[in-house]
Amino acid sequence: MKKIVLLICLLSQIPVAGQQLLSERERARVVDEILAERFDNLLPKLMDQVDLDMWILISREYNEDPVLRTMLPATWLNARRRTMLLFYRDKAKNTIDKLAVARYNVGDNIQSAWDKEKEPDQWQRLMQLIEERNPENIGLNFSKDHNIADGLDKTDYMEFMEKLPKKYHKKVVSAEQLAVRWIETRTEREMIIYDQLVDVTHDIIAEAFSENVITPGVTTTTEVEWWMRQKVTDLGLETWFHPTVDVQRTSEELVGHLYSFSGRPDDMVIRPGDLLHCDFGITYLRLNTDCQELAYVLKPEEKEAPKFLVDGLKDGNRVQDYLTNNMIKGKTGNEILAKALSEAKAAGLRPSIYTHPLGSYGHSAGTTIGMWDAQGGVMKDDGENYPLNPNTVYAIELNTTITIPEWKRDIRIMLEEAGFYGDKGFRYVNGRQTELLLIPRIKAHQGN
């Protein structure tokens, strides 16, 4: 019987350039296994680190707290009715209660703690659980500085405070630090999966930026965007944002940063001599990627990209190095940004850095290192004071402006790659682009 089940699992996997994408059923198994590891091993450590012994999350169906959404089992696509979760950490006993004020368990990890026949009122049962444990503090998901940690709606907050005995009111605190740490922290197993996910992302970009998809003089940027979107759908994956493809060429002027993402012409026909740029990300096993890479469309007489573009990519890599070398535990995003920009400018570069956390969400919670329109540092309500923590993932997103005399204009070298910051420092999750993709690829018989 085990052999039959294994065979079914293998047959249901979809190969993608050396990677095996799991069937929906196998994905659910992996998601729930990872969730169990996070609840049993990660959550107690995080609660101890932020000195919070009780964390309560409350959501209603289709209006889910973004943190609670990451805690639902794979077979729960939404919260049900009003979902209440209570986590209580007894550090002295080294235990953690994972309870749901619901009539049924929330998957295998969170046990039901409400018998409606004994106590008809759901709110009253939650208050009983609190009083039984008498916590030192009670964390709720409200936050001015971190949007993902601000998931408790006003109605539930008001009713919670109305039902909560007065003696506990002074113990209610923001759980923003715990919420952000839960969202940003990756486990060892998640990082193994992350490498595979970024590899798939790179492979899709490589195929999109090839003669398999692009015929110069015929194919448009919009057609490539929709090819990428369809490719993801055909693989049974999801995109967390619509892909973008844009062109920089000798006859164009440098326009604002937003041009690459909004307001650029649709259906630009791709031509020989174009520098192509894409922004693309996918979702798999509750993790997200975000990647920007560059390709050059060879002219008929060319066998390689022009040296000024090759050198431009090297300058982009240099800016990446200035940023990642300054990613140091405990430093805030603004501190990292200022140091990296200063060093890059001192080296003669014209950088712009807007790196963001990546993980459970594409634009996730954690250390924000600049925004494209805030190169002097982000404001407090964007996470200004939040420090860099280990075991976190970032979209290393940035650009550098270069002058091309041959084109009589400036262009931007825009790059984005997933990077992991751990106890041993920084590393790229699945490498980074150091060479331009060429369209078409050079084949052995060409030029002979």
Side-chain angles (χ1 to χ4, degrees):
M1 182 64 181
K2 290 183 178 179
K3 290 183 179 180
I4 295 175
V5 172
L6 178 59
L7 178 60
I8 293 173
C9 291
L10 290 173
L11 289 174
S12 63
Q13 293 173 341
I14 305 172
V16 182
Q19 300 292 349
Q20 293 290 331
L21 298 183
L22 301 175
S23 67
E24 282 292 337
R25 184 172 185 176
E26 285 298 293
R27 292 181 202 187
R29 175 184 63 80
V30 173
V31 164
D32 287 343
E33 288 175 357
I34 289 174
L35 200 51
E37 293 173 1
R38 290 178 62 84
F39 279 132
D40 294 339
N41 302 322
L42 177 61
L43 184 56
K45 295 177 183 177
L46 297 181
M47 295 184 76
D48 292 348
Q49 289 173 10
V50 303
D51 194 25
L52 189 65
D53 63 343
M54 182 171 285
W55 190 16
I56 295 175
L57 299 91
I58 306 170
S59 282
R60 282 174 290 170
E61 197 166 2
Y62 308 127
N63 189 34
E64 288 82 9
D65 177 324
V67 177
L68 183 143
R69 179 177 287 277
T70 70
M71 296 176 166
L72 298 178
T75 54
W76 283 42
L77 303 185
N78 300 95
R80 295 180 182 174
R81 299 183 183 178
R82 179 179 268 111
T83 297
M84 298 178 175
L85 305 182
L86 182 151
F87 302 100
Y88 176 69
R89 169 66 171 162
D90 189 327
K91 190 174 181 180
K93 296 180 180 178
N94 193 27
T95 60
I96 184 167
D97 295 339
K98 298 165 290 181
L99 305 174
V101 186
R103 302 197 69 185
Y104 29 68
N105 298 336
V106 179
D108 295 329
N109 296 302
I110 304 173
Q111 302 302 305
S112 170
W114 180 33
D115 184 340
K116 191 173 182 180
E117 281 63 44
K118 292 182 179 179
E119 174 51 71
D121 190 314
Q122 185 183 23
W123 285 103
Q124 184 57 35
R125 179 54 182 153
L126 176 60
M127 298 307 135
Q128 292 170 1
L129 293 171
I130 294 172
E131 294 214 65
E132 288 169 5
R133 285 154 182 80
N134 191 27
E136 292 295 320
N137 45 41
I138 302 171
L140 300 179
N141 284 358
F142 57 85
S143 172
K144 178 182 177 182
D145 296 341
H146 301 275
N147 60 313
I148 288 177
D150 194 37
L152 180 63
D153 66 35
K154 182 178 180 180
T155 300
D156 285 333
Y157 174 77
M158 292 178 64
E159 190 152 6
F160 176 85
M161 295 304 293
E162 180 182 329
K163 300 290 186 180
L164 186 68
K166 295 293 183 182
K167 64 181 179 179
Y168 290 110
H169 279 212
K170 62 183 180 180
K171 295 187 175 185
V172 174
V173 299
S174 169
E176 62 179 2
Q177 293 296 312
L178 179 56
V180 173
R181 293 290 285 126
W182 170 264
I183 291 294
E184 74 171 351
T185 307
R186 304 272 68 82
T187 64
E188 182 178 354
R189 187 174 182 186
E190 285 178 300
M191 288 314 304
I192 295 172
I193 292 170
Y194 229 131
D195 182 85
Q196 299 167 350
L197 181 55
V198 178
D199 191 31
V200 171
T201 305
H202 286 160
D203 288 342
I204 294 173
I205 292 174
E207 186 177 0
F209 280 171
S210 76
E211 61 272 26
N212 293 342
V213 175
I214 295 174
T215 301
V218 176
T219 308
T220 68
T221 53
T222 300
E223 288 173 332
V224 179
E225 292 170 355
W226 280 107
W227 180 91
M228 298 173 87
R229 185 76 179 266
Q230 188 64 52
K231 179 74 172 183
V232 173
T233 299
D234 291 345
L235 290 172
L237 301 173
E238 295 179 358
T239 51
W240 67 272
F241 66 95
H242 185 70
T244 62
V245 175
D246 59 274
V247 171
Q248 294 182 92
R249 58 172 60 127
T250 181
S251 61
E252 303 290 338
E253 295 295 328
L254 181 65
V255 292
H257 178 93
L258 274 178
Y259 173 84
S260 298
F261 310 98
S262 176
R264 69 195 183 287
D266 291 331
D267 290 318
M268 288 187 69
V269 176
I270 296 169
R271 304 197 306 238
D274 283 347
L275 180 67
L276 301 183
H277 161 264
C278 73
D279 193 356
F280 175 63
I282 63 178
T283 303
Y284 180 54
L285 296 175
R286 294 192 177 178
L287 296 173
N288 295 272
T289 65
D290 199 354
C291 187
Q292 296 179 45
E293 293 197 345
L294 301 167
Y296 177 72
V297 185
L298 292 169
K299 296 177 181 178
E301 70 277 10
E302 291 179 319
K303 298 181 182 179
E304 58 187 18
K307 186 176 185 300
F308 55 79
L309 292 181
V310 173
D311 291 342
L313 178 55
K314 291 179 180 178
D315 284 345
N317 291 150
R318 289 170 64 198
V319 176
Q320 289 175 325
D321 292 340
Y322 284 116
L323 168 59
T324 59
N325 289 341
N326 280 293
M327 293 179 72
I328 300 170
K329 180 181 178 180
K331 295 290 185 181
T332 66
N334 282 353
E335 290 173 330
I336 296 168
L337 174 70
K339 189 89 172 352
L341 287 177
S342 176
E343 292 177 356
K345 290 175 181 178
L349 299 169
R350 289 185 282 170
S352 179
I353 296 172
Y354 32 97
T355 286
H356 59 85
L358 185 67
S360 301
Y361 292 95
H363 291 157
S364 201
T367 309
T368 300
I369 308 174
M371 293 184 177
W372 68 266
D373 57 351
Q375 289 299 284
V378 299
M379 302 299 288
K380 185 176 180 181
D381 59 0
D382 291 316
E384 171 192 2
N385 297 315
Y386 194 78
L388 183 69
N389 289 308
N391 301 318
T392 51
V393 175
Y394 299 86
I396 304 301
E397 185 177 11
L398 46 77
N399 75 64
T400 189
T401 300
I402 64 173
T403 299
I404 301 180
E406 293 87 343
W407 286 6
K408 298 180 181 180
R409 59 163 297 198
D410 286 349
I411 69 166
R412 289 192 183 92
I413 300 296
M414 296 174 282
L415 300 171
E416 186 171 18
E417 296 285 2
F420 173 74
Y421 181 78
D423 292 327
K424 296 181 180 179
F426 176 86
R427 67 172 174 83
Y428 285 98
V429 174
N430 184 256
R432 61 172 171 170
Q433 184 178 25
T434 58
E435 295 182 0
L436 294 168
L437 294 167
L438 298 179
I439 306 168
R441 302 289 193 265
I442 299 298
K443 298 177 183 178
H445 64 271
Q446 287 181 245
N448 293 333

